[in-house]
Amino acid sequence: MAITVEGNLFYVNTEASSLILENRDGDLLLKHFGRKINSYHFSNTIHEKDHAFSGNPSPEVRTYSYDTQRQVIGTYGFGDFRKPSVRVQHGSNELTFFKLVDYHIVKELIEAEGLPNPHSDEQAQTLVLVLEDQVAQLRLTLYYTAFETSATITSFAKLTNLSDEPVVVHRLLSSMLDVPAKQYDVITLQGAYAREKAVRRQNLHQGVFSISSSRGASGHGQTPALLLADRKASEDFGDVIALQLLYSGNFQAFAQENQLQEVRLGIGINDDNFAWQLAPSESFVTPVAMLSYSHKGLTGLTSESQAFIKNHIIPKRFADEERPILINNWEATYFDFNKDKLLSLADEASALGMELFVLDDGWFGNRFDDNRALGDWTVNESKLGGPLSELIADVHAKGLKFGLWVEPEMISEASDLYRAHPDWAIQAPCRGHTYSRNQLMLNLANPDVVAYLKETFDGILAQNAIDYIKWDYNRNMTNLGNGATYLETQMQSHAYMLGFYDLVSYLTETYPDVLFESCSGGGGRNDLGVMRYFPQVWASDNTDAIARLPIQYGSTFLYPTISMGSHVSAVPNHQMGRITPLETRGHVAMMGNFGYELDLTQMTETEKAIVAEQVAHYKRIRPLVQFGQQYRLLNPEENTNEAAVQFVYEDQSVVTYVRIQSTIETIETTLKLKGLDEDAIYRLDGTEKCYSGAELMYAGLTLDMPNGDYLSKQFYFVKDVKD
Ligand code: GLA
């Protein structure tokens, strides 16, 4: 049983983790979150004593204070001086004090309405804890869902106004956990445009470490995820907790070490510039948080998170489906193309064994550059040499699937849509616009806009045999102010997200066979909110093989490899100006969902032969990369000159190694492989060389690299089956 109640204890158990809560006279106290415990008897109870300057709720008991108890709700005003999880303006103040009044165990997942939710499974169970504040007349409901075959639970909160006056929610975290004093590190994924998801590990000290976004999107610079690792935790050993959010808008996550060195973790909507009015009997529901645990270090946590996301978050239709090798025309042509150019690219792609042709930006309206026409989603037939359906038929006839770029959430001032509906852009009265890539954002908080977008893209998808959509989002949100009141304005960024999820759930459910890939200038919205609807994300606009190493390391740190788009592009690289060998570009891109983004018609015959070989090779290793167990052998952030990643799937394993700068008078690197069968013999594909699993893991594989910069090697091992 995943969820049980024993006396005053609640157990939320998965196969490998437990969350244990105590009901102490209506107060919810967190006794444990971590490795599984089936039977708990308060062995770790905090020795209760009179801590100076902590508040006590009762004059008789000077040893009980909300400032020292571990909790899952942080209320403001009654002696817990840490960061609150809830802040509601009601009556004349913001004091809240929630006591447990009821609970239920439900034998299924309960969904957060209108927001991205995990997929349920037969074993999912939800603990529903109902708390009330009689004075403020508020109900706070906490939901904890256990998925038995994992070490992950999900959780969210709902606040209901029981009074007959409106109240204003200023802060409501999706999840909060107080964990015991210890030396910890926090790990987050940070960066910027074209260098997304750098893995940052730092010591936690007294104070608050926080990450957040106020961009209206998760952003390139941060990811809605925060890991708390035992300071001794390494790649293979030690306790690690991860909090992640299924949300793509403004978020916050923090770790607060207080004066007693206890640590509070929280994740949820960013409360900067946030307020949500609740009329009597209305509720506010938070996004869903994912709480994962591993005692097997960072690799263990990665495996747990990757598996949970693949099994419970990515659309089921695509979770176990091999992804096509694509050619995208963006870096090949930018806006400068016509039908002949596109078809000659498709011809080459088809001859080289690729599987999907993607037509990027520039196919609609007057879109000859990025200054205009967003919103005018009518096919530019003179540029495409006829209707889109004809181009698609021609591409299909070459044995390729067809994909199309769209950016539905945007509007250009120079567009028919803006001329017809200038009020549909997000804007504040009398303030003009703030431009970014010379475009504005549509106000998805307005149901008319969402209805229009549903109809427009329904039309395009219904009338054309489109197999794949690249859904772009190329600016962030500013000038919020379409609402008629201060509160409507404050509510706009979250209302936008609800409109966005309404739109994308409608389109992805109406066209379940279309593979959607999310993009936001690369990884500007690479989060679990997006991944719930779009099974792939274009990890970065930076296609340089060397710059991609840390980006791909971070992009798969929590998210499954099958979610990560990675392409080979031309040299000198368009973002970095670097020249790297085609082999290295291929090896690096093959660590994700493989594709090409260059002008195949400009390649020499020798280059084309290499590409044809890469494509054929990727088709063989694709199940390993997309469904295999991933091991990081050399991390680019720790070893700045080398990176190595291994995948193991069934009886096969593939290892990719990249060395950045040439070295001299050094001993060659030996890679100790992981996850192999000790007693099995593995043959190195394409050779007669055979090694035991034990020797590859415990003695290692020594590399033999020629001189030169930016070189790579890939090793493909297959278990030798004796007749
Ligand atoms: C963004 C994307 C690119 C490309 C362009 C098209 O920058 O990240 O891959 O699609 O838009 O305008």
Side-chain angles (χ1 to χ4, degrees):
M1 283 284 281
I3 296 179
T4 48
V5 183
E6 283 173 22
N8 56 350
L9 289 176
F10 298 102
Y11 289 78
V12 182
N13 277 353
T14 68
E15 198 172 71
S17 67
S18 292
L19 175 96
I20 303 174
L21 293 168
E22 178 191 3
N23 170 13
R24 171 108 60 114
D25 302 325
D27 290 343
L28 267 186
L29 305 180
L30 177 61
K31 308 317 292 182
H32 173 73
F33 177 65
R35 199 161 173 174
K36 187 163 186 175
I37 299 172
N38 284 320
S39 177
Y40 172 79
H41 304 279
F42 299 90
S43 59
N44 65 338
T45 293
I46 298 172
H47 180 61
E48 287 174 13
K49 53 186 176 197
D50 185 355
H51 283 281
F53 290 87
S54 292
N56 313 118
S58 146
E60 278 90 49
V61 193
R62 289 176 54 154
T63 53
Y64 186 73
S65 168
Y66 295 114
D67 206 29
T68 51
Q69 291 297 333
R70 295 178 194 134
Q71 299 170 82
V72 288
I73 306 167
T75 51
Y76 157 74
F78 297 100
D80 182 349
F81 296 109
R82 293 166 289 186
K83 287 175 87 63
S85 64
V86 49
R87 196 158 80 74
V88 187
Q89 186 185 335
H90 58 87
S92 60
N93 60 48
E94 292 187 358
L95 295 175
T96 50
F97 193 78
F98 292 100
K99 288 273 184 185
L100 188 73
V101 293
D102 200 3
Y103 69 87
H104 323 276
I105 297 170
V106 184
K107 301 229 176 309
E108 60 186 359
L109 169 90
I110 295 186
E111 297 202 334
E113 207 185 324
L115 286 156
N117 285 282
H119 312 291
S120 194
D121 64 21
E122 276 165 18
Q123 286 117 21
Q125 292 189 8
T126 305
L127 174 63
V128 184
L129 299 166
V130 184
L131 299 104
E132 283 184 7
D133 179 332
Q134 307 289 351
V135 177
Q137 296 187 60
L138 294 170
R139 178 183 299 143
L140 177 63
T141 313
L142 304 181
Y143 300 85
Y144 292 96
T145 301
F147 297 81
E148 215 169 39
T149 53
S150 72
T152 294
I153 61 174
T154 58
S155 106
F156 69 96
K158 178 162 94 176
L159 192 93
T160 308
N161 181 5
L162 304 177
S163 74
D164 45 21
E165 294 293 326
V167 301
V168 180
V169 183
H170 287 286
R171 176 182 175 97
L172 185 60
L173 294 181
S174 299
S175 208
M176 191 198 95
L177 295 173
D178 288 339
V179 299
K182 203 177 189 187
Q183 291 210 309
Y184 291 110
D185 283 350
V186 279
I187 303 173
T188 48
L189 303 171
Q190 295 179 257
Y193 172 77
R195 51 179 176 84
E196 298 89 338
K197 293 210 170 6
V199 179
R200 294 270 176 269
R201 180 173 182 160
Q202 46 206 302
N203 293 167
L204 183 66
H205 295 294
Q206 187 168 335
V208 181
F209 171 88
S210 72
I211 52 167
S212 64
S213 169
S214 51
R215 294 174 170 272
S218 45
H220 298 86
Q222 53 282 313
T223 297
L226 185 142
L227 279 70
L228 188 78
D230 186 310
R231 193 160 296 165
K232 295 198 191 93
S234 63
E235 197 61 45
D236 298 300
F237 304 101
D239 285 330
V240 192
I241 292 173
L243 274 64
Q244 303 187 62
L245 201 63
L246 279 71
Y247 192 60
S248 323
N250 297 340
F251 77 93
Q252 60 174 321
F254 67 87
Q256 177 180 29
E257 186 175 311
N258 75 353
Q259 56 189 357
L260 303 173
Q261 275 57 62
E262 291 269 301
V263 173
R264 172 163 291 181
L265 301 172
I267 195 162
I269 290 179
N270 187 353
D271 56 347
D272 287 348
N273 304 313
F274 173 79
W276 194 272
Q277 179 157 256
L278 288 182
S281 78
E282 276 184 354
S283 297
F284 179 78
V285 178
T286 71
V288 176
M290 205 180 125
L291 315 177
S292 307
Y293 163 78
S294 174
H295 67 277
K296 295 181 185 157
L298 299 176
T299 300
L301 199 278
T302 294
S303 304
E304 172 61 32
S305 177
Q306 288 185 336
F308 188 84
I309 293 167
K310 188 172 152 311
N311 297 332
H312 293 285
I313 294 181
I314 284 183
K316 278 201 171 303
R317 164 73 178 76
F318 287 102
D320 298 310
E321 175 141 326
E322 286 191 14
R323 306 297 168 76
I325 301 172
L326 68 80
I327 171 74
N328 178 307
N329 75 308
W330 178 241
E331 288 196 12
T333 65
Y334 294 103
F335 291 100
D336 184 17
F337 57 82
N338 56 28
K339 187 170 189 178
D340 287 348
K341 179 70 198 177
L342 296 177
L343 290 181
S344 60
L345 253 184
D347 273 331
E348 293 290 357
S350 162
L352 295 170
M354 295 172 201
E355 299 159 328
L356 164 66
F357 175 85
V358 180
L359 172 55
D360 211 282
D361 197 356
W363 57 268
F364 53 92
N366 190 24
R367 182 82 170 164
F368 289 100
D369 60 31
D370 62 7
N371 284 310
R372 65 201 78 245
L374 288 170
D376 295 345
W377 299 107
T378 43
V379 178
N380 184 334
E381 294 197 3
S382 63
K383 196 168 178 185
L384 290 197
L388 181 60
S389 54
E390 257 177 50
L391 176 70
I392 297 177
D394 290 345
V395 169
H396 281 165
K398 296 178 196 304
L400 295 165
K401 293 181 173 191
F402 182 85
L404 193 67
W405 179 96
V406 297
E407 196 178 0
E409 299 159 77
M410 301 293 161
I411 181 168
S412 305
E413 239 178 351
S415 70
D416 293 340
L417 185 67
Y418 188 84
R419 284 183 281 271
H421 296 285
D423 55 315
W424 280 8
I426 294 181
Q427 60 199 307
C430 312
R431 290 286 186 189
H433 293 305
T434 302
Y435 300 87
S436 181
R437 213 190 189 204
N438 217 1
Q439 63 196 55
L440 310 175
M441 286 184 67
L442 283 168
N443 179 21
L444 270 62
N446 177 351
D448 293 344
V449 174
V450 174
Y452 165 81
L453 290 173
K454 281 183 184 171
E455 196 188 320
T456 303
F457 288 93
D458 219 349
I460 293 172
L461 285 160
Q463 285 155 27
N464 297 287
I466 292 169
D467 306 292
Y468 162 107
I469 288 282
K470 177 177 174 186
W471 182 297
D472 220 330
Y473 171 92
N474 280 315
R475 67 157 290 170
N476 289 140
M477 210 180 276
T478 61
N479 298 55
L480 291 174
N482 293 65
T485 63
Y486 165 79
L487 277 167
E488 279 179 30
T489 302
Q490 293 293 89
M491 290 161 80
Q492 200 177 345
S493 66
H494 182 60
Y496 179 100
M497 295 319 301
L498 297 176
F500 170 69
Y501 294 130
D502 178 20
L503 174 64
V504 295
S505 59
Y506 170 76
L507 290 173
T508 53
E509 280 158 27
T510 309
Y511 300 95
D513 293 332
V514 175
L515 173 62
F516 282 77
E517 178 152 354
S518 163
C519 177
S520 170
R525 202 164 57 175
N526 187 358
D527 58 58
L528 299 180
V530 151
M531 219 176 281
R532 171 62 184 78
Y533 309 97
F534 301 160
Q536 289 185 198
V537 182
W538 176 226
S540 182
D541 272 359
N542 193 337
T543 52
D544 174 72
I546 302 305
R548 271 260 170 175
L549 295 171
I551 295 171
Q552 298 194 168
Y553 164 50
S555 297
T556 57
F557 199 77
L558 295 167
Y559 301 165
T561 316
I562 197 168
S563 71
M564 181 178 73
S566 42
H567 304 166
V568 173
S569 63
V571 289
N573 176 266
H574 292 196
Q575 294 77 35
M576 305 292 288
R578 185 155 33 210
I579 297 177
T580 53
L582 183 52
E583 286 80 357
T584 306
R585 282 177 273 152
H587 286 157
V588 172
M590 279 187 222
M591 288 192 263
N593 293 346
F594 194 47
Y596 289 80
E597 188 141 350
L598 44 70
D599 192 349
L600 299 170
T601 65
Q602 298 298 307
M603 296 187 111
T604 64
E605 290 308 312
T606 319
E607 286 172 328
K608 282 186 204 167
I610 297 173
V611 169
E613 215 173 278
Q614 288 177 339
V615 169
H617 180 63
Y618 187 73
K619 287 178 182 169
R620 295 180 68 209
I621 65 167
R622 176 160 49 188
L624 283 85
V625 174
Q626 299 189 354
F627 309 123
Q629 167 72 42
Q630 182 187 346
Y631 296 99
R632 297 179 288 254
L633 304 180
L634 288 173
N635 292 334
E637 301 264 333
E638 290 153 25
N639 181 333
T640 48
N641 201 38
E642 295 170 299
V645 176
Q646 181 192 2
F647 294 94
V648 179
Y649 182 68
E650 295 177 347
D651 54 1
Q652 302 177 23
S653 182
V654 65
V655 179
T656 304
Y657 169 82
V658 180
R659 188 190 63 197
I660 299 172
Q661 301 287 329
S662 196
T663 56
I664 195 159
E665 274 304 311
T666 52
I667 298 292
E668 293 78 8
T669 297
T670 296
L671 294 176
K672 288 191 175 174
L673 308 197
K674 296 183 179 177
L676 302 178
D677 179 352
E678 282 183 0
D679 299 323
I681 296 296
Y682 291 85
R683 193 169 45 75
L684 182 59
D685 187 61
T687 73
E688 291 306 311
K689 289 181 188 160
C690 287
Y691 308 97
S692 72
E695 84 179 284
L696 289 171
M697 292 193 291
Y698 310 139
L701 174 70
T702 301
L703 294 149
D704 179 16
M705 300 294 288
N707 286 340
D709 293 341
Y710 315 133
L711 298 182
S712 65
K713 281 229 162 134
Q714 197 171 65
F715 303 89
Y716 177 28
F717 294 102
V718 181
K719 229 189 231 184
D720 214 26
V721 185
K722 300 268 177 310
D723 300 325

